[in-house]
Amino acid sequence: MSSGYLHDMPDLSGRTAVVTGANSGIGAVTALALARSGARTVLACRDPERGRRALEAVRRAAPRSDTRLVRLDLADLASVAEAADAVAKEADGRLDILGHNAGVMALPPLRTADGFEMQFGTNHLGHFALTLRLLPVLGVTGPARVVTLSSLGHRIGRIDLGNLNAERGYS
């Protein structure tokens, strides 16, 4: 993070941000940039140990930041509900930025805890449920942003709306 747009971020003091999948990759970089810019930053991670290591890394790199960790497994709607409650508490009832970053890709035919096809359930339904549960605190003090990341896979993929849960095969 030594150059480019990350240094051009505005001061986000007084704002609260949540980033899913903040323990690695783009999520980790995003969480660090938000923390360095002054936002109270909540790292929402599935694996508690990897989340803890990411939290420690952000706190080392941005020692004056207000950075927190919430466990979130987007493949389990009960975990999504618990995480949304924890986020609302950690955010003191306000949320300004919600970053949908976490996701899975190219898995064998697996199911979420609630019986959905794993990739669709994790990448889309889990984030949708999280956003719905956070609506009461999203933007209560002014404009808010919800940012959803995706991959270039959309260019080659085709959606079979009659088979969203992959009952008739998966590719």
Side-chain angles (χ1 to χ4, degrees):
M1 293 194 359
S2 60
S3 65
Y5 67 92
L6 295 175
H7 291 289
D8 295 332
M9 288 184 68
D11 178 16
L12 296 174
S13 298
R15 306 259 174 99
T16 300
V18 173
V19 180
T20 67
N23 57 285
S24 65
I26 293 170
V29 172
T30 301
L32 178 56
L34 290 164
R36 282 184 170 165
S37 295
R40 172 186 294 152
T41 306
V42 179
L43 287 67
C45 304
R46 178 182 63 225
D47 182 303
E49 180 57 29
R50 291 178 68 200
R52 186 189 57 73
R53 288 194 304 262
L55 178 68
E56 290 171 358
V58 171
R59 287 179 173 169
R60 277 192 307 276
R64 290 179 281 160
S65 67
D66 181 356
T67 311
R68 300 148 188 234
L69 176 65
V70 167
R71 185 183 178 286
L72 168 66
D73 182 351
L74 291 161
D76 182 345
L77 294 178
S79 173
V80 171
E82 290 171 12
D85 291 345
V87 163
K89 181 180 176 185
E90 293 293 329
D92 292 331
R94 70 169 291 161
L95 181 57
D96 304 287
I97 302 166
L98 176 56
H100 296 163
N101 168 69
V104 296
M105 189 174 137
L107 298 172
L110 297 173
R111 298 281 171 200
T112 67
D114 304 286
F116 299 107
E117 187 277 318
M118 183 65 78
Q119 189 165 318
F120 181 57
T122 300
N123 298 2
H124 302 286
L125 300 178
H127 280 121
F128 181 75
L130 179 66
T131 302
L132 284 179
R133 287 192 159 269
L134 290 173
L135 282 178
V137 296
L138 191 61
V140 297
T141 58
R145 301 283 186 270
V146 177
V147 179
T148 302
L149 301 182
S150 185
S151 74
L152 293 176
H154 75 278
R155 291 183 177 175
I156 60 171
R158 298 291 177 260
I159 297 174
D160 180 353
L161 295 176
N163 189 36
L164 288 177
N165 209 28
E167 286 97 356
R168 295 184 311 279
Y170 173 84
S171 171

